[in-house]
Amino acid sequence: MNKSQFDKMKNGEGFIAALDQSGGSTPKALAGYGVKEDSYSNEDEMFDKVHEMRTRIITSPSFSPDRILGVILFEQTMDREIEGKYTGDYLADKGIVPFLKVDKGLAEEENGVQLMKPIPDLDETLRRASERKIFGTKMRSVIHEPNTSGIKEVVEQQFKFGKRIIAAGLVPIIEPEVNIHSEQKEKSEEILCDEILKHLNELSEEENVMLKLSIPTKANAYKKLVEHPRVVRVVALSGGYSRDEANEKLKENDGVIASFSRALATDLSADQSEEEFDAALKKAVDSIYDASVQKN
């Protein structure tokens, strides 16, 4: 593990940019960027288009290590290059910590939750990630209802994979997202916090994780997680909130920083000039940065 990257993630001021849209979410991300489905004819061309978008974001002068602590990448992005360097190397050289999305998507809903699908090639992916200068990983599950057995299963699965990731020398971002539209969101968050605490307390002093959580209904509901010695950082997903809404809710939670995706890229467009693009990205970056650091 890179000690300077660990220190940046633990103590740095800023936020994590989530640029990890996978096959299922890429068309929507491209559409939001102004690239319609009729502009590519197959999956390879689609991924070329989204890599162009990500490259434009990452290479922008507005995408600064003074504001951006880390970036979550899709697996294909890790294997592609930016300006002649593998993406992880490019980011590390820029002073930004690279992470990799390793989950294979969500299983069907059962017991009020969606577990992760199996990750059969995880060990090989982690080996390649280490070669590509990746610092950590990210895995997403979703909680729809306050079903105790379902939430317990979600957290158990996350930490089971998380321990394998730690053993490979990387830091896992554990992401049990709570659906922001759930009618009993706060109750789900109470159960989730308790279950995560149980697993954190079982980790050794050499085992550290990050947590990526929906912004809680009750301010500072995850205070015990933020303060836990085994937690490097708690980051928040925007979860479908607008950027302004997500920023305002984030400000209520001490010690939690952003890890936004759609809320970061919402005003970016393929037909913007470089000046317009950089200005729109700077506005987004600055607002999310301010929401992340002003109360930490």
Side-chain angles (χ1 to χ4, degrees), residues 7 12 15-16 18 59 65-66 69 81 86 112 120 122 149 155 161 173 187 208 213 231 242 273 277 283 290:
D7 183 64
F15 67 96
I16 295 176
T59 57
D66 295 335
L69 296 178
E81 294 183 353
Y86 282 114
L122 179 61
S149 62
V155 178
F161 282 123
I173 299 177
K187 180 62 177 172
N208 297 289
L213 306 170
V231 175
S242 69
S273 68
F277 181 89
K283 181 181 176 184
D290 289 344

Side-chain angles (χ1 to χ4, degrees), residues 26 39 50 60 70 103 110 124 137 157 243 277:
T26 293
S39 66
V50 81
S60 168
D103 69 79
E110 195 173 337
E124 172 59 20
T137 64
Q157 185 191 42
R243 182 165 67 230
F277 181 89

